[in-house]
Amino acid sequence: MSPAAAEAGFQLYPQLAADTAPVTDLALCRVLLMNDRRFPWLILVPRRAGKRDLDDLAAADQAQATIEASQAARALKALVSTHKMNVAALGNMVPQLHIHVIARQTTDAAWPKPVWGVGSAEPYAAAERDDWIQRVRRELQRSATS
Amino acid sequence: MSPAAAEAGFQLYPQLAADTAPVTDLALCRVLLMNDRRFPWLILVPRRAGKRDLDDLAAADQAQATIEASQAARALKALVSTHKMNVAALGNMVPQLHIHVIARQTTDAAWPKPVWGVGSAEPYAAAERDDWIQRVRRELQRSATS
């Protein structure tokens, strides 16, 4: 199947679009920056229509999603000091399959709890957000070519 | 590297051992049943010493961990009605890399929130736990041979 055919019908779920800013497209996933400056937090969305759970993806896409989640984790590790990476496909609120990749620090606003539902998101200022997007994009390109 | 060499030095972290009952060993991961009857909840632990984050695993092990997490998800889906599978490597409390696979229902004790830190675990009765272990083991074998 051609990449275009594989992506047919894919549309980013409105809630994900509202909560994030686009960073880049990897081979499978759209990479988004969560608009919450409390946490270095990327969201990866496989560009496949109608997928809900990780095991709904074809086996090759599952493997690719894992590779890209690791790429995203390494990009964040290169940018901030990190105590633990949280990698999670939950999707209780948003039915479209998406993978959280969150760099956790022992000093962050939710530690040691999971970040979901803790306090309120603190949106980035526009310049700060754009700077993050540029830096994440650069790190993802670096890891893709290394 | 032989399987035995790859597993050298692996020991289940005491907290994980205390909170769970062993189900079976897949090619890479030890499968554990979380001792909390509120949620159909498996934990997969790659038998590799000293790993903390998913991206610490070798690429082949990352792919295998994903395959086995999907196997575990399908086993739970075969056993209970499921609204959403939560698949997550968090590990803020327990430093050893482990992957949660949790069958969520819209009627469960935490929905739509993540399960971690919600209320207190309700341990299984011994017979009920053993029955779960048998049924999960059977489903995992079925999916491995199909």
Side-chain angles (χ1 to χ4, degrees):
Chain A
M1 189 154 50
S2 73
E7 292 178 28
F10 171 78
Q11 265 200 310
L12 190 61
Y13 193 78
Q15 177 83 51
L16 284 175
D19 292 345
T20 67
V23 175
T24 192
D25 276 8
L26 300 176
L28 174 64
C29 295
R30 181 153 302 165
V31 181
L32 308 166
L33 175 70
M34 186 69 164
N35 191 15
D36 185 348
R37 61 191 300 285
R38 299 175 304 161
F39 309 104
W41 183 345
L42 301 176
I43 294 182
L44 275 67
V45 185
R47 296 191 303 283
R48 298 287 180 265
K51 303 301 182 189
R52 223 176 138 64
D53 291 332
L54 262 183
D55 62 291
D56 292 339
L57 289 178
D61 282 349
Q62 286 181 30
Q64 184 63 26
T66 307
I67 289 167
E68 295 182 3
S70 283
Q71 250 182 288
R74 280 193 302 266
L76 291 182
K77 281 180 178 176
L79 293 172
V80 292
S81 81
T82 302
H83 184 69
K84 189 72 185 69
M85 294 303 306
N86 291 171
V87 178
L90 303 178
N92 303 336
M93 307 292 220
V94 167
Q96 182 172 59
L97 174 60
H98 61 286
I99 304 166
H100 300 272
V101 179
I102 311 162
R104 301 298 307 277
Q105 288 146 318
T106 54
T107 53
D108 72 34
W111 186 266
K113 290 192 201 146
V115 300
W116 302 279
V118 170
S120 299
E122 292 176 14
Y124 287 103
E128 185 188 25
R129 181 200 61 205
D130 293 346
D131 182 57
W132 258 100
I133 290 171
Q134 290 303 329
R135 292 194 296 152
V136 171
R137 201 179 283 159
R138 202 157 51 223
E139 287 301 330
L140 286 173
Q141 280 162 354
R142 187 172 303 173
S143 70
T145 54
S146 67
Chain B
M1 189 154 49
S2 72
E7 292 178 28
F10 171 77
Q11 265 199 311
L12 190 61
Y13 194 78
Q15 178 82 51
L16 284 175
D19 292 345
T20 66
V23 174
T24 192
D25 275 9
L26 299 176
L28 174 64
C29 296
R30 180 152 303 165
V31 181
L32 308 166
L33 175 71
M34 187 70 165
N35 191 16
D36 185 348
R37 60 192 300 287
R38 298 174 303 161
F39 308 104
W41 183 345
L42 301 176
I43 294 182
L44 275 66
V45 186
R47 297 191 303 283
R48 297 288 180 263
K51 303 301 180 189
R52 223 177 138 65
D53 291 332
L54 263 182
D55 62 291
D56 293 338
L57 289 177
D61 283 348
Q62 286 182 29
Q64 184 63 25
T66 308
I67 289 167
E68 295 182 3
S70 284
Q71 250 182 289
R74 281 194 300 268
L76 291 181
K77 281 180 177 175
L79 293 172
V80 291
S81 81
T82 302
H83 184 68
K84 187 74 184 67
M85 294 303 306
N86 290 172
V87 178
L90 303 179
N92 302 337
M93 308 290 220
V94 166
Q96 182 172 59
L97 174 60
H98 60 288
I99 305 166
H100 300 271
V101 179
I102 311 161
R104 301 299 307 276
Q105 288 146 318
T106 54
T107 53
D108 73 33
W111 187 265
K113 291 191 201 147
V115 301
W116 302 278
V118 171
S120 299
E122 292 176 14
Y124 286 103
E128 185 188 23
R129 181 199 60 205
D130 292 345
D131 182 57
W132 258 100
I133 290 171
Q134 290 303 330
R135 291 194 297 153
V136 171
R137 200 179 285 161
R138 203 158 49 223
E139 287 302 328
L140 286 172
Q141 280 163 354
R142 187 172 303 172
S143 70
T145 54
S146 67

